[in-house]
Amino acid sequence: MIIIKKQVNIFKEITVNPWMWMGLLIFSIFTTILFIFDLKIDTFLILNNTAISIGCIPWIHITNLGDPLLSMMLLFPFVHKKPGLIWALIFASIFTIIINQGLKAIVHASRPPAVLAHELFTITGPVYMYRSFPSGHTVTIATIGSIVIHGLKNQWTKWIMLFITLLVGFSRIALGVHWPIDVTAGLFIGWSGCIFGLYMTASLKIKTNLLTKHIFSGIFVVTGIIGLIFYKTPYENTLITHRIFISVLLFIGLYEYYSYHRRLHRSGDRNRRTR
């Protein structure tokens, strides 16, 4: 009974955060409305034609942030300050991968290019036909974006991260590969995954020692190097952008790594002097 009460308290601590429960509420409402009133085609055509009016180039760069390899680098700067977020990502990833891939296999929904005449909307990049629901890119950025939001202190940076997350989801509609309901469902699943990951991390009381932080940092560095040298996204002419993105996050993450160990070293020196 005590264990159950403790688990409930942990869940309340996480969900009482308005950034968590408001996301779940809003995305579930939009998904429900789109489903009940069968608005996916009408809303898709309006949003796709509106978005593409500014050109396709911005959207192919934005959509790459929903790529798992690129988006996970957003958490590198948190390895030493808030390592619990990395554990939350691990649990959240397991949760969202199972849900995302399971729904794609079960629903097996057709994408816009398989349903609509191509002259009605604009398709940019690879033409995908099936496994539309939910949007994998959106699930990825929603999972990682919501974890980053949870880790940020400044409200403005939280809003910026939310805006980026929504833009990535919207880019899937702009590029003509997903319906709006795929995106809103992806946002809901990603937010749910974040809550699950935070809950598991808190309930299991996972503590991260220095060795584990080194391992996490090494994984991020290797991932970043792979992204810089070998990895290519499906969208042409985005190589420079994604290399800049990875380079910036690698620099910030390595700077945090250096700063953390410098503080440890100074703290150790002070302790030795006081003995």
Side-chain angles (χ1 to χ4, degrees):
M1 192 70 179
I2 295 174
I3 295 175
I4 295 174
K5 187 176 180 180
K6 190 175 182 181
Q7 302 302 319
V8 170
N9 289 336
I10 292 171
F11 186 74
K12 282 183 178 179
E13 287 177 12
I14 296 170
T15 54
V16 75
N17 183 344
W19 286 95
M20 294 294 105
W21 67 263
M22 281 297 291
L24 282 183
L25 178 63
I26 292 171
F27 301 140
S28 63
I29 288 174
F30 274 103
T31 303
T32 303
I33 291 172
L34 289 167
F35 176 75
I36 291 175
F37 295 100
D38 195 20
L39 299 173
K40 74 174 187 178
I41 292 178
D42 292 336
T43 52
F44 169 78
L45 291 173
I46 292 170
L47 295 175
N48 176 265
N49 290 316
T50 301
I52 214 65
S53 63
I54 67 170
C56 64
I57 293 177
W59 300 115
I60 62 174
H61 291 285
I62 291 170
T63 207
N64 278 337
L65 296 179
D67 187 285
L69 187 143
L70 271 65
S71 59
M72 73 171 284
M73 293 300 297
L74 288 166
L75 286 169
F76 186 16
F78 293 95
V79 168
H80 292 288
K81 288 183 177 179
K82 297 186 177 181
L85 297 182
I86 312 303
W87 288 109
L89 173 64
I90 294 171
F91 290 116
S93 297
I94 295 170
F95 175 88
T96 54
I97 288 171
I98 293 172
I99 299 297
N100 181 46
Q101 295 302 320
L103 285 173
K104 281 183 177 293
I106 294 169
V107 178
H108 199 63
S110 299
R111 295 179 186 247
V115 176
L116 301 173
H118 291 192
E119 60 268 17
L120 294 177
F121 67 105
T122 303
I123 310 170
T124 305
V127 179
Y128 301 112
M129 293 293 185
Y130 302 104
R131 292 172 61 85
S132 181
F133 183 88
S135 164
H137 275 67
T138 308
V139 170
T140 300
I141 192 62
T143 304
I144 295 172
S146 54
I147 292 174
V148 170
I149 286 171
H150 186 80
L152 293 170
K153 292 181 179 179
N154 186 281
Q155 291 297 314
W156 281 107
T157 53
K158 288 178 182 284
W159 282 107
I160 291 170
M161 190 65 243
L162 175 62
F163 181 67
I164 292 171
T165 300
L166 296 177
L167 265 186
V168 173
F170 186 75
S171 71
R172 305 309 290 163
I173 302 170
L175 296 178
V177 292
H178 276 292
W179 306 104
I181 194 170
D182 301 337
V183 172
T184 56
L187 290 167
F188 178 82
I189 293 168
W191 242 255
S192 301
C194 170
I195 291 175
F196 176 79
L198 293 170
Y199 171 77
M200 291 299 296
T201 303
S203 62
L204 294 175
K205 295 182 178 180
I206 297 177
K207 294 182 179 179
T208 310
N209 57 31
L210 190 58
L211 175 61
T212 307
K213 290 179 181 179
H214 283 312
I215 293 172
F216 283 157
S217 296
I219 291 171
F220 278 108
V221 170
V222 170
T223 300
I225 292 172
I226 291 172
L228 286 173
I229 301 174
F230 304 106
Y231 189 73
K232 292 183 179 180
T233 67
Y235 297 94
E236 296 180 0
N237 304 318
T238 60
L239 184 61
I240 293 176
T241 305
H242 94 241
R243 280 180 174 171
I244 292 173
F245 176 80
I246 292 174
S247 297
V248 169
L249 290 173
L250 267 176
F251 174 80
I252 296 172
L254 288 171
Y255 176 78
E256 291 291 338
Y257 180 86
Y258 168 77
S259 299
Y260 176 81
H261 287 282
R262 189 177 181 184
R263 289 193 297 270
L264 277 182
H265 181 71
R266 287 179 176 177
S267 177
D269 286 344
R270 283 195 297 269
N271 290 336
R272 284 192 291 270
R273 288 171 188 169
T274 56
R275 287 177 184 174

